[in-house]
Amino acid sequence: MKNPYEWLADAINNHTWTVAGVAIAIFIVACVGLSMVTMETGDDTYLDKTTPRGVLLDHYSETYGSDSIMLIYEADSVRSPEVIRYIDNLQTDLRNERYVDSVSGVVDLLKQGNGGTLPSSKAEIDGIISQAPPEMVEKMLPSDMMTISVIALEPGVSQDAQTQVLDNMATAIRISEPPPGVTVTVSGEPAFAKEMKEEMGSQMGTLILVAMLLMVLAVTLLFANVRYRILPVGIVAVGLIMTFGFMGLFGIAISMTVIAAFPVLIGIGIDYAIQFHARFDEESRRGTIPEAIRATVGNLGPSVLIAMSATALGFIAMFFAPVPMIADFGMVCTIGVVCCYVAALIIVPVFAIVTRYRAKTGAAPSDPAQKSGSSILERYDRLLGRLAYTIAKYPVPVILLFAVVAAGGFYLDQSVPISADEKTFVPDDMPALRDMEKLTRVMGSTSTIPVVVLADDVLSPDTLAWIDRFGVYEQEHNDKITGVTSIATLIRENNDGVLPSTESEVNEVIARIPDSTLKSYLDGNMEAVVQFSTVDMEMSVARDLVGRIQGDVAWNNPPAGVRVKITGSMEMFSAVMDDISESRLYMTALGFAFILGFLILVYRKFGAISPVIPIVFIVGWNGAIMYLLGLDYTPLTAVLGSMTIGVASEYTILIMERCEEELARGMEFLDAIQTAVQKIGTAITVSGLTTVFGFSALTLSNFNIISNFGIVTVISVGFSLVGAIVIMPAVLALMHRYTGHSRVPAAAGVPE
């Protein structure tokens, strides 16, 4: 009975256009999915909304959370009556926008101090401002040349709705005809998120284009020994389009980390394409096109399938990451490697039949009969063969040397810092980031840590008293907290600074407070929010602050039945830091477990662990590089361990498979390892270097999170080549000593 690869080879040989038609139909379906691809930023990319933490944050955002858009007005003098009238007119227009809850600014302060109307002269304006509370003036009017309006949105407004509001505001500002010399800048978190999304969109196209151009350059320079050397680039383009299409069909959005998956896929996909192209070219020199197709599909198809499956398992380990954007990265990479494998498996033989492929004249690059007048690639092949032979004869010193380096890397890896601050991931010169920094300088930090209080009755005197004491305690004992507002402080303000002692008194005060004010701190009688204002600080400091507040909750002993939970963006990013710390080790261990289990299942022998041993070393070297280059672990570099397992396993498995194939033909072990490395050494090196070219596109990104990932992945692929070509022969030699001759390889069985 024919195996699936023999059947596929016969189908391609005998029914070429039918196979091509089916492939084109699948490609068209994927193209339909392209229109369904969406982009995503914000909390959903960092936190799984189905977890308790995610549910709480989502509830807080929907119930209390109100994002604010800031308008920065700058002029020679923003106190001039003409500028003040302009601001008043613009604020009136913006109040009528959908999703806008309130608009406040210096004009409201001036109207309040002038009987509800705008003052008509600069002297009146200066007089009212001089009598206003200094802290209020400082926030609204930081200088004579700048003032700020705050547009509070309704709670729970989606990102799409926020984008709509921002677009409407931009239109309103454009047609408002500001006085000469007046500039209006839109800022705030929604504006930052919108610009980041736009930057991501343009960045994705640029990265993919650069990666493709670099690949064309790489295959042109390094793959010159075969005909149609650009074919692998076309195969990768098909695989990439299919990946995009299936993302749309499966509802996977593009996020900051998913962007980095595409150059990664380009690098891995070109490897599959080059392997199939190089093997077909080698086989076509020895026989007819149908024979070459049977040998290539039958022998290399299963080998690359095993390598691809191992790569996919490394990415599948990311599915279990608690950070959604990491899980999406793994999912996109898994879909992508499958698409690129299938594209290479089908396109290479179909293309060969359609074009009546003929290998270039002359000996194959790895032909042992070729003598000293050979090309550079041919000499490189023989050099790799001799190196593998020597290493296989003396494996122990090689393994010990690289193991010591890896051990040092694992030790240094523990000192690599972790970063989850979104503002450090984007380009330093991004206008929205600069505007946010300007706001922070003039207004101070706008960061808050909300604490949700749950009880049978949060308005009971005992619970209110505890909320009040807890707020005062935190402000007095923590210099990072600058203020506190809660239902307790609100009741105090409306009751001459005193908390009521009975429920009836509490209800009387609550009745006097406008609902628009209450809704920011109270949801029914069973839930309230305490808002702690904080200084501007790094995310690592914020994580410590969140942890301290959590400890203080227990220390302050809430009344019986009262539950207290911390939420908000700062708590979320603090949790992401912990998730990165835990998940990167978990994903790496899971990736090793998946691949090891898979290899044992496929090969059913102890020697199946051979491809994993060099990868352990490579992961250790990665840790050393992260430390020495001063890079942080981010939601993207956190995938480095499991991604390296996936990428490196392909090279090591292909070396082992080819060695097994040569042994099955009756070669002695040392000759088999020499021939294996010599036969596919160039293909692995070319595909590896081309992968480096694809990954290097990431280093050109303006997003720091992506460019740093590009640096370490380029180095990691280089390590993977060293692991396959240098360490793998040593590992196979040791395994051969203790386990004896190997069995027939999984890819064998198709006569050549």
Side-chain angles (χ1 to χ4, degrees):
M1 183 177 176
K2 292 182 180 179
N3 68 43
Y5 287 91
E6 291 176 317
W7 178 87
L8 177 61
D10 288 343
I12 292 172
N13 280 324
N14 301 324
H15 308 284
T16 307
W17 292 109
T18 302
V19 173
V22 172
I24 291 171
I26 295 173
F27 181 76
I28 291 173
V29 171
C31 288
V32 172
L34 278 173
S35 62
M36 305 178 188
V37 177
T38 59
M39 281 196 174
E40 189 174 54
T41 58
D43 296 350
D44 289 351
T45 62
Y46 291 98
L47 190 62
D48 183 354
K49 290 300 179 71
T50 63
T51 62
R53 174 179 278 115
V55 170
L56 178 63
L57 179 59
D58 196 41
H59 168 70
Y60 168 77
S61 300
E62 292 286 340
T63 308
Y64 308 100
S66 176
D67 289 308
S68 295
I69 299 172
M70 313 291 187
L71 295 187
I72 306 172
Y73 305 89
E74 294 176 281
D76 291 338
S77 175
V78 293
R79 297 190 187 195
S80 72
E82 185 183 13
V83 174
I84 293 298
R85 281 195 300 273
Y86 167 74
I87 295 174
D88 185 39
N89 291 334
L90 181 58
Q91 286 194 173
T92 301
D93 291 341
L94 296 180
R95 284 190 180 95
N96 297 324
E97 288 290 339
R98 189 181 177 190
Y99 304 118
V100 171
D101 189 46
S102 65
V103 180
S104 59
V106 68
V107 293
D108 302 287
L109 176 67
L110 294 173
K111 285 181 177 181
Q112 185 179 355
N114 196 49
T117 61
L118 281 178
S120 57
S121 68
K122 191 172 185 302
E124 290 177 313
I125 292 171
D126 291 340
I128 295 170
I129 290 174
S130 65
Q131 296 174 8
E135 63 275 5
M136 185 180 299
V137 173
E138 186 178 353
K139 284 186 176 293
M140 291 184 176
L141 196 69
S143 75
D144 188 50
M145 301 174 66
M146 178 191 295
T147 186
I148 297 167
S149 292
V150 179
I151 296 95
L153 302 181
E154 296 172 357
V157 174
S158 67
Q159 279 199 356
D160 289 341
Q162 290 183 8
T163 300
Q164 179 184 333
V165 172
L166 287 165
D167 291 339
N168 292 343
M169 285 185 180
T171 302
I173 293 169
R174 188 170 58 252
I175 65 176
S176 63
E177 298 182 357
V182 175
T183 60
V184 185
T185 304
V186 181
S187 187
E189 290 289 348
F192 176 82
K194 179 176 182 288
E195 186 168 331
M196 184 170 69
K197 194 172 184 179
E198 292 169 350
E199 285 272 346
M200 283 167 48
S202 62
Q203 191 89 153
M204 181 178 63
T206 302
L207 289 180
I208 291 175
L209 177 61
V210 170
M212 296 296 284
L213 291 175
L214 288 173
M215 276 200 314
V216 170
L217 176 64
V219 296
T220 301
L221 295 175
L222 302 173
F223 207 38
N225 59 296
V226 301
R227 197 176 298 276
Y228 306 114
R229 68 182 80 171
I230 304 299
L231 175 62
V233 179
I235 292 172
V236 170
V238 171
L240 212 61
I241 291 171
M242 291 176 64
T243 303
F244 269 114
F246 287 120
M247 281 180 64
L249 294 173
F250 296 152
I252 303 171
I254 296 173
S255 66
M256 194 185 307
T257 57
V258 170
I259 288 176
F262 295 108
V264 169
L265 290 177
I266 289 172
I268 295 173
I270 198 72
D271 185 30
Y272 298 152
I274 287 175
Q275 291 293 340
F276 277 103
H277 193 175
R279 183 62 180 266
F280 178 83
D281 186 82
E282 177 188 334
E283 298 294 344
S284 68
R285 297 173 188 272
R286 296 201 288 253
T288 64
I289 288 178
E291 290 171 344
I293 289 174
R294 279 193 292 271
T296 300
V297 174
N299 280 344
L300 189 63
S303 295
V304 178
L305 174 66
I306 293 171
M308 185 275 293
S309 299
T311 301
L313 286 171
F315 292 131
I316 288 172
M318 301 176 196
F319 291 9
F320 300 91
V323 182
M325 66 169 68
I326 295 178
D328 287 346
F329 178 89
M331 197 171 299
V332 170
C333 286
T334 302
I335 294 171
V337 295
V338 173
C339 289
C340 290
Y341 170 76
V342 173
L345 180 65
I346 301 297
I347 292 175
V348 168
V350 169
F351 181 85
I353 291 176
V354 171
T355 60
R356 297 176 182 176
Y357 187 96
R358 291 180 297 107
K360 283 187 174 182
T361 56
S366 56
D367 189 346
Q370 195 76 349
K371 300 302 179 183
S372 58
S374 305
S375 70
I376 293 175
L377 288 179
E378 292 159 1
R379 291 198 295 271
Y380 176 72
D381 270 347
R382 290 196 299 277
L383 173 64
L384 290 184
R386 288 195 296 270
L387 176 64
Y389 187 93
T390 303
I391 290 173
K393 283 184 69 175
Y394 309 103
V396 175
V398 174
I399 290 178
L400 285 178
L401 172 64
F402 287 109
V404 169
V405 177
F410 281 117
Y411 175 77
L412 293 175
D413 183 70
Q414 301 173 30
S415 302
V416 176
I418 297 170
S419 174
D421 188 349
E422 192 173 53
K423 291 181 178 58
T424 64
F425 299 160
V426 301
D428 296 335
D429 59 350
M430 193 170 85
L433 178 62
R434 294 287 182 87
D435 294 336
M436 290 281 287
E437 291 171 345
K438 181 191 291 186
L439 277 176
T440 301
R441 286 194 300 270
V442 300
M443 293 184 66
S445 173
T446 57
S447 301
T448 61
I449 299 179
V451 177
V452 179
V453 180
L454 302 166
D456 291 336
D457 183 9
V458 292
L459 294 178
S460 70
D462 288 346
T463 303
L464 285 175
W466 183 86
I467 292 173
D468 189 53
R469 287 197 308 272
F470 178 63
V472 171
Y473 178 88
E474 288 300 319
Q475 194 169 0
E476 289 179 349
H477 290 79
N478 201 317
D479 58 359
K480 300 292 187 298
I481 293 177
T482 59
V484 57
T485 53
S486 66
I487 187 63
T489 61
L490 201 60
I491 290 174
R492 274 186 180 277
E493 290 172 4
N494 287 271
N495 196 47
D496 298 326
V498 179
L499 277 180
S501 57
T502 66
E503 290 186 10
S504 59
E505 291 176 344
V506 170
N507 292 332
E508 287 177 9
V509 178
I510 291 291
R512 296 197 297 267
I513 303 174
D515 289 341
S516 58
T517 305
L518 279 176
K519 68 180 183 181
S520 298
Y521 302 98
L522 188 67
D523 183 27
N525 284 353
M526 301 178 67
E527 184 178 287
V529 166
V530 182
Q531 294 279 7
F532 290 109
S533 304
T534 69
V535 299
D536 192 38
M537 53 190 153
E538 294 182 356
M539 198 52 62
S540 57
V541 178
R543 177 171 63 170
D544 294 339
L545 175 59
V546 169
R548 180 170 176 177
I549 293 174
Q550 287 172 334
D552 289 344
V553 169
W555 174 259
N556 280 271
N557 193 24
V562 173
R563 291 172 294 142
V564 181
K565 298 179 179 180
I566 302 176
T567 188
S569 295
M570 197 174 293
E571 192 277 339
M572 178 193 71
F573 283 115
S574 299
V576 169
M577 292 183 70
D578 293 332
D579 289 340
I580 291 173
S581 177
E582 296 169 5
S583 65
R584 68 183 180 87
L585 300 175
Y586 176 68
M587 288 187 297
T588 302
L590 202 58
F592 275 123
F594 282 168
I595 291 178
L596 190 58
F598 172 72
L599 293 176
I600 291 174
L601 182 66
V602 170
Y603 294 106
R604 296 182 178 86
K605 56 180 284 188
F606 178 74
I609 70 170
S610 299
V612 177
I613 295 173
I615 303 172
V616 175
F617 293 176
I618 296 166
V619 172
W621 304 342
N622 286 342
I625 284 296
M626 289 284 292
Y627 178 83
L628 294 175
L629 294 181
L631 301 177
D632 295 349
Y633 277 117
T634 65
L636 195 47
T637 50
V639 309
L640 185 62
S642 53
M643 192 195 75
T644 299
I645 293 169
V647 173
S649 62
E650 180 197 351
Y651 300 143
T652 56
I653 288 172
L654 288 176
I655 290 286
M656 183 179 74
E657 276 286 323
R658 191 58 186 256
C659 180
E660 296 277 11
E661 189 177 329
E662 300 303 331
L663 286 172
R665 291 173 177 169
M667 279 192 180
E668 292 297 323
F669 175 77
L670 290 178
D671 294 331
I673 193 67
Q674 178 178 359
T675 303
V677 174
Q678 184 169 323
K679 287 257 187 178
I680 65 172
T682 297
I684 283 182
T685 303
V686 169
S687 62
L689 291 178
T690 310
T691 302
V692 166
F693 272 64
F695 283 9
S696 63
L698 295 170
T699 64
L700 303 178
S701 172
N702 293 329
F703 281 72
N704 299 326
I705 186 175
I706 296 176
S707 60
N708 289 342
F709 177 67
I711 293 170
V712 294
T713 49
V714 164
I715 295 171
S716 180
V717 172
F719 287 162
S720 299
L721 287 174
V722 173
I725 294 173
V726 178
I727 300 177
M728 193 61 187
V731 172
L732 290 174
L734 282 183
M735 287 294 176
H736 185 75
R737 288 183 185 180
Y738 294 108
T739 61
H741 288 285
S742 302
R743 53 132 194 85
V744 177
V750 177
E752 299 186 35

